[in-house]
Amino acid sequence: MQALRKSDERGHADRGWLESWHSFSFSDYYDPQRMGFGTLRVINEDIIVPTAGFPPHSHQDMEIITYVLEGTIRHRDSTGGSGDLSHGELQVMHAGGGITHSEINPSTGERTHLLQIWIQPDRRGHPAGYEQAPLDADALRRGFVTAVGPKGSDAQFQINQDARLDIAWLADGQTVEKALAQGRQYYLQVARGSVVANGEKLAAGDALTLRDEAKLVVTASGEAEVLLFDVA
């Protein structure tokens, strides 16, 4: 079974310094039918104007992934973690028992465009922490790469949950396939460009949910970037 979620069906907020689209209930957007997807709790697409951002604020018991599409986001947190994140890198913050951080667009002239993703951990009270590293661009251009996976997996980033994030960067006309496991559920988010996925046309911001499907076949229409979440 698969279902299409169009970009314009998401929640939307425009605060002047921040424009945001919410795939699931978040802040002032509430839809009891959209509280998450398995352990995937948040996908927010944010555009932040120059020099603006989120001042220090706290999180607890959440695995937070940041994927930048355009510009830079500057991260500082209470564990001592810090870094300027741009496209081609990934950041994972383990909120654990509690962490305070800020996220600012440091540019005076360019906006920051990013996806922030929250995954619920397997239990409360894990140690807090922060990781940031470049992704393997060559591998991503060949097909799906498991960038995030559970502890003990071979994923580049490991989180405290039985969940995975696969990323692919596709050239025009490129097709990639992925076998899907029975008993799992999958959420395909188009981050950039447009694709045809299992016969459905998706543009940037669109998503496709999959349950009890044997495989996923994605063909890019122009250059595209897609994120595939695999959750219990």
Side-chain angles (χ1 to χ4, degrees):
M1 180 177 66
Q2 59 187 48
L4 180 63
R5 178 89 187 283
K6 298 296 290 182
S7 174
D8 61 7
E9 297 173 0
R10 299 177 295 175
H12 178 249
D14 189 345
R15 305 185 187 283
W17 64 272
L18 169 71
E19 190 168 13
S20 187
W21 292 264
H22 309 308
S23 294
F24 308 112
S25 294
F26 187 89
S27 188
D28 295 333
Y29 168 59
Y30 175 70
D31 181 344
Q33 303 302 312
R34 301 287 181 181
M35 298 304 296
F37 185 79
T39 56
L40 177 60
R41 180 60 187 84
V42 167
I43 303 177
N44 288 346
E45 180 178 358
D46 293 340
I47 295 177
I48 304 168
V49 303
T51 73
F54 302 92
H57 59 284
S58 298
H59 295 283
Q60 190 170 359
D61 296 315
M62 199 65 69
E63 303 287 320
I64 299 175
I65 302 165
T66 303
Y67 182 89
V68 174
L69 289 161
E70 177 187 354
T72 301
I73 195 76
R74 176 164 292 164
H75 169 97
R76 300 287 186 271
D77 71 51
S78 56
T79 72
S82 64
D84 286 2
L85 184 76
S86 58
H87 183 254
E89 302 174 290
L90 199 68
Q91 178 195 103
V92 175
M93 187 175 72
H94 314 283
I99 193 169
T100 298
H101 77 138
S102 61
E103 299 163 291
I104 304 295
N105 175 1
S107 174
T108 59
E110 296 182 355
R111 69 180 193 173
T112 299
H113 184 188
L114 59 82
L115 296 177
Q116 187 165 96
I117 298 136
W118 295 8
I119 296 175
Q120 294 172 322
D122 54 7
R123 64 171 176 83
R124 299 173 66 87
H126 283 289
Y130 159 86
E131 302 174 71
Q132 177 178 324
L135 295 165
D136 185 338
D138 290 339
L140 293 173
R141 292 188 180 101
R142 292 193 293 269
F144 282 113
V145 173
T146 303
V148 179
K151 294 288 187 181
S153 70
D154 59 1
Q156 182 178 0
F157 298 87
Q158 298 182 13
I159 60 173
N160 298 296
Q161 182 52 270
D162 181 14
R164 292 166 177 79
L165 167 59
D166 288 9
I167 302 172
W169 295 351
L170 305 178
D172 184 18
Q174 182 180 357
T175 296
V176 294
E177 295 189 16
K178 185 172 179 67
L180 306 181
Q182 290 297 308
R184 306 286 295 182
Q185 49 186 346
Y186 297 84
Y187 195 98
L188 180 73
Q189 179 79 30
V190 180
R192 192 197 305 270
S194 58
V195 303
V196 176
N198 282 15
E200 298 278 7
K201 294 181 179 179
L202 288 84
D206 294 346
L208 185 69
T209 62
L210 304 109
R211 297 179 174 91
D212 300 321
E213 297 288 335
K215 66 178 179 179
L216 172 65
V217 181
V218 181
T219 301
S221 306
E223 293 186 354
E225 297 180 21
V226 293
L227 280 63
L228 177 65
F229 299 91
D230 168 359
V231 297

